[in-house]
């Protein structure tokens, strides 16, 4: 009910006893279920207010897809704020990851991604000049992968590393988190059908609002 | 050099100038490279000591495989400490994830996994009674997936959710982290070839020492 948006953020839960009766559950079971949702961060208990629904988590299937498109498809109202946009010689570590010659010119940009007016992710990306016609204006309206597709780029494969670290002061401020809050980190290099590295991204997501979903199949 | 173990933890780096000359790099590039490794947590600067190699990160490809086997194959000397082992009716949330009838008996255990004598992960698992003959002694010597295979279980598919949160006091103590340090969380339900849920795991990994690696292919 919470993740589907049937109970929007801010809704209050009736008391446990009424809710247990309504759903035909025993009271200990109801208490356990509520505690589980509190642990998962979907509910919060407030003194004098009771139990409230907090913002739903973005549970995103890990695929070679764009956060923007995924949010859009889930009716999560993505919005992008461009924090910086420019052109520079590729930084050393990005050159290594993308196997680009030193000094290659890349377009680089920092974006703050919102979902339903809540900040969700801070994203830095690098795209070699010439791969696609990327502008700050276009990035405000579309996801990066849409712009790559529009330029005829066929994404084929990506290497991705997921870990976590504490939010630095600036990150915390932009993401409405406290300093030191856990952030999920994702570093990705994406290649096109010609095995050319077309995009390098270093993103951080609010761990309180985001998780990666994976389906693994035995080889 | 660091990740291959050529430079073991504790090794000191020569000063930047000597190292730049030795590797044929410019000094700003060398400084950048060192800063990058410090940021990644592979190097640490200590006053009066210089720059030191810290413990290498476990970069693990996300597959339907066992942490124990992966560490073993990488010569990372896995070791398991059993923190608890027992049998109980399945907790509600696990029953939902595994699609088990309420009251089903499960074997449940908490393990602390070490790699090269450093704590790496805290793992809680649930396996329905009858799936495999699991004992605390066997879990000290083998990974869970080895025991499942020995019992004839063919793992076919798993659903996995990755996120992050702060370490609670007990977790921090067991994992040699400070309280509030970021931990990677992984929740997994694994199914066999008959689509029967055979294992549910809720694991936390030290984000300072662990990352998930993924290769994504366009569909």
């Amino acid at each position: 009910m919470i993740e589907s948006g049937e109970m929007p953020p801010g809704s209050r839960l009736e008391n446990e006893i009424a809710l247990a009766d309504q759903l035909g559950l025993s009271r200990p079971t109801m208490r356990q279920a509520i505690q589980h949702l509190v642990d998962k961060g979907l509910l919060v208990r407030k003194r004098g207010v009771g139990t409230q629904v907090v913002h739903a988590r973005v549970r995103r299937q890990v695929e070679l897809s764009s956060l923007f498109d995924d949010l859009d498809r889930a009716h999560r109202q993505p919005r992008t704020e461009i924090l910086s946009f420019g052109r520079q010689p590729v930084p050393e570590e990005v050159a290594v990851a993308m196997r680009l010659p030193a000094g290659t010119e890349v377009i680089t940009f920092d974006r703050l991604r919102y979902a339903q007016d809540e900040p969700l992710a801070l994203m830095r990306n690098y795209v070699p000049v010439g791969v696609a016609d990327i502008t700050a204006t276009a990035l405000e309206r579309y996801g990066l992968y849409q712009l790559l597709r529009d330029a005829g780029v066929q994404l084929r494969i990506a290497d991705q590393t997921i870990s976590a670290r504490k939010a630095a002061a600036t990150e915390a401020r932009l993401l409405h988190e406290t300093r030191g809050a856990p952030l999920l980190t994702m570093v990705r290099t994406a290649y096109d059908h010609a095995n050319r590295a077309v995009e390098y991204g270093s993103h951080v997501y609010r761990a309180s609002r985001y998780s990666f979903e994976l389906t693994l199949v035995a080889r």
Side-chain angles (χ1 to χ4, degrees), chain A residues 117-193:
Chain A
D117 285 324
E118 276 263 317
L120 182 65
L122 257 174
M123 314 186 287
R124 166 164 294 184
N125 286 80
Y126 301 88
V127 178
V129 167
V131 165
D133 186 26
I134 293 167
T135 62
T137 317
L139 284 170
E140 267 174 359
R141 295 188 48 193
Y142 305 101
L144 170 59
Y145 280 16
Q146 181 63 53
L147 299 182
L148 291 176
R149 278 194 301 271
D150 290 349
V153 173
Q154 293 177 330
L155 291 166
R156 201 186 57 85
I157 205 163
D159 292 322
Q160 198 162 300
T161 302
I162 295 168
S163 192
R165 62 173 172 77
K166 288 186 176 187
T170 313
E171 293 169 332
R173 188 173 47 75
L174 289 166
L175 292 169
H176 299 186
E177 291 280 352
T178 53
R179 193 173 168 167
L183 300 179
L184 272 164
T185 63
M186 192 270 276
V187 174
R188 174 163 67 181
T189 309
Y191 302 86
D192 70 1
H193 65 291

Side-chain angles (χ1 to χ4, degrees), chain A residues 59-167:
Chain A
R59 300 168 68 89
R60 183 170 168 227
Q61 188 70 27
V62 177
E63 271 172 23
L64 199 41
S65 62
S66 144
L67 175 57
F68 189 93
D69 297 344
D70 291 349
L71 290 171
D72 200 29
R73 208 170 301 121
H75 307 290
R76 285 288 183 93
Q77 305 157 41
R79 189 162 60 77
T80 306
E81 197 181 311
I82 311 293
L83 303 177
S84 79
F85 185 89
R87 189 181 156 132
Q88 58 169 90
V90 64
E92 193 112 352
E93 68 172 279
V94 179
V96 170
M98 298 186 85
R99 299 179 231 137
L100 291 177
T104 305
E105 287 277 305
V106 290
I107 298 166
T108 176
F109 40 95
D110 289 287
R111 293 173 295 165
L112 180 55
R113 173 65 45 80
Y114 292 82
Q116 287 161 316
D117 285 324
E118 276 263 317
L120 182 65
L122 257 174
M123 314 186 287
R124 166 164 294 184
N125 286 80
Y126 301 88
V127 178
V129 167
V131 165
D133 186 26
I134 293 167
T135 62
T137 317
L139 284 170
E140 267 174 359
R141 295 188 48 193
Y142 305 101
L144 170 59
Y145 280 16
Q146 181 63 53
L147 299 182
L148 291 176
R149 278 194 301 271
D150 290 349
V153 173
Q154 293 177 330
L155 291 166
R156 201 186 57 85
I157 205 163
D159 292 322
Q160 198 162 300
T161 302
I162 295 168
S163 192
R165 62 173 172 77
K166 288 186 176 187

